[in-house]
Amino acid sequence: MSGRGSWTPALTLLLLAPGPLLAQAGGSIIEWGAHATVLGVSGRPVGVLGGPRLAVRTLGSARLALSAGVGFRGDQLSGRGEVAVEYLLSPRAANRLGVYFGGGLAGVIGGGKGGYMLVYLGVEQSPGLPAGWAFEGGLGGGFRVRAAYHWRQFPKGWRAGQ
């Protein structure tokens, strides 16, 4: 994508979509954690980043996720921020894997600088329980692989409503 105007529709949708989703659900689940991300593009140095992740999830299946990372791309210092909307196929899964997919935008400074669109597929351990790991694979400034650990805070009575 080139030019600022080409980002406008995607950015507008990304910023406006979560509000109505959260209002419709009547509450939210707060998630926080840490991630390590590996990025690769053919013929360019590999990037390795790590940092915090924060997400707000509806009581249904939608999640707005924000993450930041600092690390290296080759021998250059690099920083990356991401904002994505994710959809969980089984948000109340307990003691089994949950699958999700997501898409959004990433901004990179330092090594690999630029703006990128994201699309990925992930699996996470027990999205209906208070904590678990996650693995993602997809595209966003090259191939993107992420490992993360999430902690979750549920509203009172959420688990009982299964």
Side-chain angles (χ1 to χ4, degrees):
M1 295 178 86
S2 64
R4 252 182 247 245
S6 58
W7 285 97
T8 304
L11 186 57
T12 302
L13 179 62
L14 199 58
L15 293 176
L16 295 179
L21 292 172
L22 291 174
Q24 179 182 14
S28 59
I29 297 164
I30 306 299
E31 300 183 358
W32 64 96
H35 71 91
T37 304
V38 176
L39 303 158
V41 177
S42 180
R44 292 181 44 202
V46 170
V48 179
L49 304 152
R53 178 186 180 278
L54 176 66
V56 178
R57 192 167 113 191
T58 67
L59 298 183
S61 297
R63 174 166 59 198
L64 174 64
L66 305 169
S67 65
V70 176
F72 291 91
R73 181 120 199 188
D75 61 354
Q76 289 186 320
L77 186 61
S78 184
R80 181 177 175 109
E82 295 182 356
V83 59
V85 175
E86 299 174 349
Y87 184 82
L88 288 76
L89 298 180
S90 50
R92 293 181 183 259
N95 300 316
R96 64 184 173 93
L97 292 180
V99 176
Y100 63 95
F101 58 89
L105 301 173
V108 180
I109 58 173
K113 68 181 172 184
Y116 305 100
M117 293 185 72
L118 303 172
V119 61
Y120 53 90
L121 179 66
V123 294
E124 74 184 283
Q125 176 190 27
S126 303
L129 294 180
W133 50 261
F135 289 102
E136 299 172 2
L139 301 171
F143 293 104
R144 174 184 172 279
V145 177
R146 173 175 284 180
Y149 198 84
H150 306 159
W151 289 272
R152 305 172 190 100
Q153 180 178 354
F154 299 104
K156 220 173 197 137
W158 184 79
R159 291 290 306 156
Q162 276 189 286

